[in-house]
Amino acid sequence: MPGKFSKVYKILGLIMLIGLIAFIYQLYKGLIVTHMRNSFSWGLYIATWAFFVGTAAGGLVVSSSIYLFKVEALKPVARLATITAFVFAIAAMTILLPDVGRPDRLYNIFIHPNFKSLLPWDFLVLSSYSLVSIIYAYILMKPEIYKFGVSIPLLGLKGKRNITDEEYKKLKEESFRKAKKLAPLALPLAILIHTVTAWVLATQAARPWWYGGLLAPTFIATAISTGPAIVILFSLWVLGVNERLLPAYRVLAKISALSSIILLFMYYNEFFVRFWWHHGEDYEALKLLFTKYLHLHVIEVFFILLSAYLFFRYSDVPKKLVQGGIALIIGVFAHRFLLLPSAYNIIPFRVPVIERYGSEEWSYPIAHGEVIGDLLKPGKVFVDYWNYYPSIIEILITAGVMAAVVFVILKLSEILPVEEKA
Amino acid sequence: MPRWGMAIDLGRCIGCRSCAVVCKIHNSLPPGTWWQRVETIGAKVHHTPVGRYPDFSEVYLPVPCQHCDNAPCVKVCPVGATWQREDGLVLIDFERCIGCRYCMTACPYGVRQFNWQNSDKNFKEAFKKLGFSQNWFADSSYRPGYPYEHRTKDGRLVFTPKRPRGVVEKCTFCVQYVDQGLPPACVRGCPGNARIFGDLNDPNSLISQVIKRRDVIRMREDLNTSPKVYYLLPEYKSYRGKIIYEKILKAFERMAVNL
Ligand code: SF4
Ligand code: SF4
């Protein structure tokens, strides 16, 4: 029987297939098919990784705040929230696959981990987070699974046991107790995945755009604004609207909007400090954002503000919530992408040139790594600026992973009892 | 145990890029990849003077991997593929690197290079682009440079003329030669003899003496990477051959136009 989403699945499946083909092509050709080069060595995949980590947060923040902060209104969306958390955390690790040059050697992370580096830690917290979210999801849904079973495609109905209403009620109480116990573990993990991900970048003194203590707090703010928005979007899509859900959406929208404002505050606070000094690498990085990347910056600020406005003003209107959620995704994605240019195009190796009439900093050019041009039109070998934009292959692979994320979330929410049943 | 370091005399460097070329050949670098760079400080184009008339300067700055003692690239490598050997060389294990390029982000000196594509293909395509006929590189078994693999004592592959795709590479101080008691190729190939290579642990080595007696700087000292490449500052040249700059400048000064 054709399900509610059968058409959506077809479209998503197609995007996934194209993404897979693009990935195979990239495996075959090498990362030369991306538009990253030596001086701009991380691109769309890493931006998407940061984005996914951010969206993964919401899930557990939502579900654990029910039990830790007693926000009972959020209960109806808790299950879906944990599922999104799980899927996005897995997706964050998946998007790193096309980024590494030798995915065949990834096992080295397990047999030779270097714990001074934050990447193994990031793997560790992301995988623990996905594990905890799936356990969490199971705990929440266990009563319904026992009572009604889940119908898995091809395998049929599974997990159903014959239990009396009495036992069912007991299971529900037990589920609540266990969820309450797990919440204090889940929340710190949710905070950790952003912090550690931010630290991967923020520890690099060579990249003044990231270096410093402010990146982790902005990552958390981004997460607390996108996480709930993602939950709203999926919940509206899967569960729709009813009296029990509306209050949940209202709370989520307010949390998201507030966090967006905090994010922008921290962002501009940093800008002001850099701007005031008006010189040096920190300022140069900022200047790049406001000159060459002004268009993207306008997009990020406009859409984040728009979503905050819609979420604050119309937290009861489903249509506006959808618009707000989509606006936020656009804005935050631009925000994530903008992590890169100001980090890589401010070349860290700079030499001061001091003259009688003043001084300037000169960036030492980097060999970008590809022979371009020909005898008549020779290309540059060493560059001090690399105009990065994602190549078509990068876009297709990223789109494929995104489609897979949506696909899996929809499928899981169809199979699993995401709605609480009496 | 020695601690290898290098000193480069900026007063002697003539900016000829011989070191870069010698390095490229000896280490079989794929097209587009450079372990050595030589640029004119402050100039957009190499070998052009910098400044305003009449205050021009033209100082060349050769940059290999700085073999930092506190190397960020070593710290960030998630799998320990980049590590510092006991003799101070920062090396990359070609067989362990997963190609995550975190080290390229971490290195402040921009010396790390990635193998974006298959090196054989790269050679063929590049030769074609550069105007050689297509079959010039048909004999794919031939590679310029040191013809053997080189492994450290504990068996880690740190040099191979056949570059694996998807890994990072950089200057090794020519580990394959250093392990045989020879100085790096760039040191031997410098026509101005601007480079000194030696043991920093030995107080009597030439390099230790030079560092002690002359004014030396290290690049981006502020980042505390503790490089083992030292630069000897160029001296002010008031004459070259029979031309005495001071006099000429004086003569110009009288009719100086303020620029
Ligand atoms: S110069 Fe760069 S690659 Fe070389 S040791 Fe220092 S940080 Fe590592
Ligand atoms: S690219 Fe290779 S050497 Fe560099 S950090 Fe990753 S695994 Fe280590």
Side-chain angles (χ1 to χ4, degrees):
Chain A
M1 102 206 135
K4 186 170 155 199
F5 301 118
S6 57
K7 211 175 192 170
V8 180
Y9 285 146
K10 273 191 200 130
I11 297 169
L12 291 175
L14 190 67
I15 301 176
M16 280 155 67
L17 188 72
I18 295 172
L20 188 70
I21 292 170
F23 183 44
I24 292 170
Y25 179 70
Q26 183 191 289
L27 282 178
Y28 173 69
K29 280 279 198 178
L31 286 168
I32 191 82
V33 300
T34 70
H35 199 232
M36 300 181 263
R37 288 297 177 267
N38 288 335
S39 64
F40 204 121
S41 49
W42 275 349
L44 183 65
Y45 301 139
I46 291 292
T48 314
W49 161 68
F51 177 75
F52 281 164
V53 174
T55 42
L60 276 196
V61 169
V62 166
S63 46
S64 58
S65 57
I66 300 173
Y67 302 96
L68 284 183
F69 307 122
K70 310 242 158 17
V71 192
E72 295 278 333
L74 290 180
K75 251 184 121 182
V77 293
R79 297 154 181 232
L80 201 61
T82 47
I83 291 175
T84 62
F86 169 71
V87 176
F88 275 107
I90 298 281
M93 292 189 276
T94 312
I95 194 71
L96 292 179
L97 270 183
D99 189 61
V100 298
R102 301 298 298 235
D104 53 322
R105 293 183 185 167
L106 272 177
Y107 60 87
N108 279 342
I109 289 228
F110 302 107
I111 53 177
H112 305 290
N114 168 21
F115 285 114
K116 254 196 198 143
S117 167
L118 282 153
L119 271 189
W121 288 106
D122 203 53
F123 264 105
L124 198 71
V125 288
L126 274 173
S127 39
S128 334
Y129 183 77
S130 46
L131 189 71
V132 167
S133 7
I134 201 69
I135 293 176
Y136 212 113
Y138 177 69
I139 287 177
L140 291 179
M141 289 182 275
K142 193 172 154 195
E144 277 86 350
I145 293 177
Y146 273 26
K147 178 106 178 141
F148 308 104
V150 282
S151 58
I152 300 166
L154 303 181
L155 292 179
L157 201 65
K158 289 275 163 196
K160 185 171 156 67
R161 321 207 168 164
N162 278 328
I163 50 172
T164 60
D165 286 350
E166 192 77 357
E167 284 168 315
Y168 182 51
K169 226 171 133 197
K170 254 211 200 117
L171 272 175
K172 285 218 148 181
E173 276 162 20
E174 189 196 307
S175 142
F176 186 79
R177 262 204 324 278
K178 279 200 182 149
K180 207 171 166 182
K181 267 200 200 129
L182 204 57
L185 182 71
L187 190 62
L189 259 181
I191 300 292
L192 260 187
I193 59 167
H194 313 296
T195 319
V196 176
T197 303
W199 284 344
V200 168
L201 309 175
T203 44
Q204 298 312 309
R207 309 287 171 187
W209 183 237
W210 302 331
Y211 184 61
L214 203 75
L215 204 63
T218 53
F219 266 56
I220 293 175
T222 317
I224 299 181
S225 69
T226 29
I230 288 281
V231 176
I232 294 182
L233 285 181
F234 275 108
S235 183
L236 275 173
W237 200 357
V238 175
L239 304 176
V241 193
N242 62 36
E243 313 79 72
R244 258 166 67 67
L245 285 167
L246 268 180
Y249 296 157
R250 199 179 309 132
V251 176
L252 285 177
K254 295 246 153 98
I255 294 178
S256 165
L258 189 65
S259 193
S260 296
I261 300 296
I262 294 175
L263 167 69
L264 286 179
F265 165 74
M266 286 197 279
Y267 207 33
Y268 270 84
N269 165 48
E270 174 82 5
F271 288 178
F272 178 77
V273 175
R274 287 167 188 251
F275 176 75
W276 192 88
W277 194 257
H278 221 77
H279 283 285
E281 287 182 336
D282 290 335
Y283 173 67
E284 295 291 321
L286 179 66
K287 208 166 97 186
L288 200 61
L289 182 72
F290 279 93
T291 48
K292 292 229 165 78
Y293 291 90
L294 186 64
H295 52 298
L296 269 182
H297 180 59
V298 170
I299 289 178
E300 78 177 317
V301 173
F302 173 76
F303 281 102
I304 292 178
L305 275 179
L306 178 68
S307 89
Y309 170 74
L310 289 174
F311 276 171
F312 261 132
R313 186 86 172 64
Y314 302 104
S315 58
D316 280 328
V317 189
K319 207 173 128 204
K320 298 275 177 188
L321 286 178
V322 174
Q323 290 168 358
I326 290 170
L328 190 64
I329 288 175
I330 297 171
V332 168
F333 201 81
H335 180 60
R336 293 290 75 147
F337 187 81
L338 285 172
L339 276 173
L340 305 168
S342 298
Y344 287 111
N345 275 331
I346 301 299
I347 296 215
F349 187 16
R350 321 182 108 215
V351 183
V353 182
I354 303 164
E355 319 239 24
R356 165 168 72 77
Y357 41 79
S359 70
E360 59 166 15
E361 292 238 292
W362 168 76
S363 323
Y364 205 109
I366 294 174
H368 57 74
E370 191 193 2
V371 176
I372 43 178
D374 53 30
L375 283 180
L376 289 174
K377 262 176 77 193
K380 273 193 163 181
V381 179
F382 303 101
V383 293
D384 58 7
Y385 186 89
W386 185 256
N387 187 15
Y388 173 79
Y389 49 84
S391 74
I392 191 81
I393 294 292
E394 284 174 89
I395 294 173
L396 290 180
I397 292 179
T398 309
V401 176
M402 288 185 172
V405 166
V406 179
F407 188 98
V408 174
I409 292 180
L410 287 184
K411 199 89 210 163
L412 280 181
S413 58
E414 251 185 357
I415 295 172
L416 296 170
V418 284
E419 242 170 323
E420 213 181 330
K421 290 187 191 140
Chain B
M1 181 55 70
R3 214 176 121 252
W4 300 116
M6 190 183 280
I8 303 176
D9 190 339
L10 298 186
R12 283 189 167 198
C13 174
I14 56 168
C16 65
R17 288 179 165 170
S18 296
C19 50
V21 174
V22 166
C23 165
K24 204 165 190 349
I25 296 172
H26 273 256
N27 290 302
S28 324
L29 302 192
T33 298
W34 295 84
W35 288 1
Q36 284 278 353
R37 288 164 292 161
V38 184
E39 293 284 337
T40 308
I41 295 177
K44 274 269 169 220
V45 179
H46 186 45
H47 275 305
T48 45
V50 176
R52 282 188 219 164
Y53 173 86
D55 306 319
F56 288 121
S57 76
E58 199 174 323
V59 179
Y60 316 114
L61 184 65
V63 179
C65 166
Q66 310 283 304
H67 291 268
C68 311
D69 268 343
N70 179 24
C73 59
V74 171
K75 280 197 278 187
V76 300
C77 181
V79 294
T82 293
W83 86 109
Q84 187 168 27
R85 215 165 62 162
E86 314 86 76
D87 60 358
L89 300 196
V90 173
L91 300 172
I92 303 168
D93 184 340
F94 280 142
E95 288 169 332
R96 194 188 286 181
C97 172
I98 58 170
C100 66
R101 304 189 300 293
Y102 194 4
C103 53
M104 303 179 80
T105 298
C107 170
Y109 303 97
V111 302
R112 290 189 158 249
Q113 309 271 294
F114 188 65
N115 282 287
W116 297 98
Q117 58 180 329
N118 182 296
S119 122
D120 276 354
K121 243 210 201 120
N122 190 356
F123 268 107
K124 274 185 202 150
E125 280 174 19
F127 271 94
K128 197 174 165 195
K129 276 184 199 159
L130 292 175
F132 297 97
S133 58
Q134 192 178 357
N135 281 331
W136 198 91
F137 219 82
D139 175 16
S140 60
S141 67
Y142 171 74
R143 283 285 163 284
Y146 189 75
Y148 311 112
E149 285 191 345
H150 185 76
R151 289 179 186 271
T152 57
K153 274 207 200 79
D154 42 357
R156 302 178 75 172
L157 183 68
V158 286
F159 177 80
T160 165
K162 287 214 179 292
R163 251 4 157 269
R165 194 186 75 194
V167 299
V168 166
E169 60 180 70
K170 68 162 187 70
C171 155
T172 63
F173 269 177
C174 284
V175 62
Q176 70 274 32
Y177 297 135
V178 171
D179 283 354
Q180 299 174 39
L182 290 165
C186 57
V187 175
R188 287 182 279 155
C190 175
N193 205 10
R195 291 178 185 237
I196 305 164
F197 183 78
D199 180 5
L200 297 169
N201 274 348
D202 174 5
N204 297 317
S205 65
L206 180 61
I207 188 169
S208 303
Q209 291 292 322
V210 163
I211 290 170
K212 195 170 118 195
R213 300 216 189 130
R214 287 196 47 192
D215 292 335
V216 291
I217 55 164
R218 295 186 296 186
M219 289 301 149
R220 289 235 46 181
E221 193 70 66
D222 56 320
L223 290 174
N224 290 308
T225 48
S226 298
K228 286 197 289 293
V229 174
Y230 295 81
Y231 290 91
L232 312 179
L233 293 176
E235 284 154 58
Y236 174 60
K237 297 191 197 81
S238 60
Y239 63 91
R240 181 181 279 169
K242 282 193 182 135
I243 303 168
I244 301 173
Y245 291 152
E246 299 282 331
K247 267 195 187 163
I248 295 173
L249 285 179
K250 280 250 162 61
F252 272 121
E253 240 155 51
R254 249 171 281 136
M255 44 187 199
V257 226
N258 254 341
L259 290 170

